[in-house]
Amino acid sequence: MRYISTRGNAPALNFEDVLLAGLASDGGLYVPENLPRFTQEEIASWAGLPYHELAFRVMRPFVEGSISDTDFKQILEETYGAFAHSAIAPLRQLNANEWVMELFHGPTLAFKDFALQLLGRLLDHILLKRDERVVIIGATSGDTGSAAIEGCRRCENVDIFILHPHQRVSEVQRRQMTTILGENIHNIAIEGNFDDCQEMVKASFADQSFLKGTRLVAVNSINWARIMAQIVYYFHASLQLGAPARSVAFSVPTGNFGDIFAGYLARNMGLPISQLVVATNRNDILHRFMSGNQYFKETLHASLSPSMDIMVSSNFERLLFDLHGRNGVALAELMSTFKATGKLSVEEDRWVEARKLFDSLAVSDEDTCATIADVFKRTGEVLDPHTAIGVKAARECRRNLSTPMVVLGTAHPVKFPDAVEKAGIGKALELPAHLSDLFQREERCTVLPNAIEAVQAFVAQHGNRGRPL
Ligand SMILES: *Cc1c(COP(=O)(O)O)cnc(C)c1O
């Protein structure tokens, strides 16, 4: 499989190189040159497969030529063997024809484990083969950091530095990062906000001289391998609900358009998905596009669903690329307009094309809490605020009541106690068994000033398993 840039002006890469790449050299994002397409018979024959075996069949075309079948099978078995629920991504029914797909049974209790547990193992495999070391620098406002650290903690050839805004992440989220100890794991609390952290990561990718030749790898959702891993659970859920004979709809709590883009790809690979609902909080740039063809930057608002607090959706460019007939030149132009003006819209027929599949809703904090309370009252299930937004949007946007609607349950409610409490749920939530001693564990973290020189000097000083690069 070869991968090409959405802006049409960067070298095509194989899977191995795309795994180690950040943005393409022309500023675009990598996408498969040709998406694999499965027949209905083939998809039907996968019903009942264990998760890791289904994952092998869905993802095999993407890694072909870079990883052998035997190695890939073993990596997938290890990856998903570490999840706490034997169904890996169980479906829980809330209502007639309405399900939540629980994607929070991985080690850090959010859906990001599906991709980052795999990414860590893939990196380890490829880096050992190449006898190469890399450095990861990532910024987090919460879920990504812990999932990335958990995914990479056992990697022989990776040193990981995760920046979070000092005293601005919840205690559970901080402890999920800082209590994972290892000489290749470095938590840095920046005396600034999340944007400051993200800017430092971007600047480090732009000028890597401080790394003295060591390669820098991205773990945010622009990394293709993350999208790839998320395609699998759309197949998994759909097969249980009667696909491919029956079509299925999904509602996806969305920030950077990564998770929902994976659903869009699953459909283009042959899975009969009839509707995808973009569910956002009041940071609703994607809803503004889907409802009115207006994609423009606004100020950031802190919400009860912080993992979706974004101004711009980094993966949206991958959808725009397809909407423009995969014309890299046209896309480079569109994105440069966006960079200059902070807004874009597409030609009417392209937008109409997108709306055949996508609907959207922006959900307020009040409605998020009301949905948590309503679902709890009717079913006894406690939803996390992101999942609640997915449920609300599914109910408002649903096109066909006889089509099964699956809401992606993106996080465990114990990670977001504020929202659960605001929703008036009197029940105390317990940490799952593997995290029950989280509040007693030793923490390790370095506080640094809001200055890129300090961060880069720290990385250079500790980037080789705690020793200088
Ligand atoms: C990251 C995250 C999201 C948003 O996912 P995207 O791929 O950025 O759209 C939603 N919910 C939770 C709990 C998350 O951690």
Side-chain angles (χ1 to χ4, degrees), residues 161 163 188 190-191 200 210 446-462:
F161 296 81
L163 279 48
I188 302 177
I190 298 291
E191 293 172 321
M200 290 195 220
F210 70 104
T446 305
V447 181
L448 289 180
N450 187 3
I452 184 139
E453 303 74 30
V455 173
Q456 294 187 340
F458 184 87
V459 174
Q461 195 57 35
H462 299 90

Side-chain angles (χ1 to χ4, degrees), residues 262-275:
Y264 162 84
L265 293 177
R267 174 175 168 276
N268 291 352
M269 290 163 73
L271 191 66
I273 294 177
S274 57
Q275 183 189 12

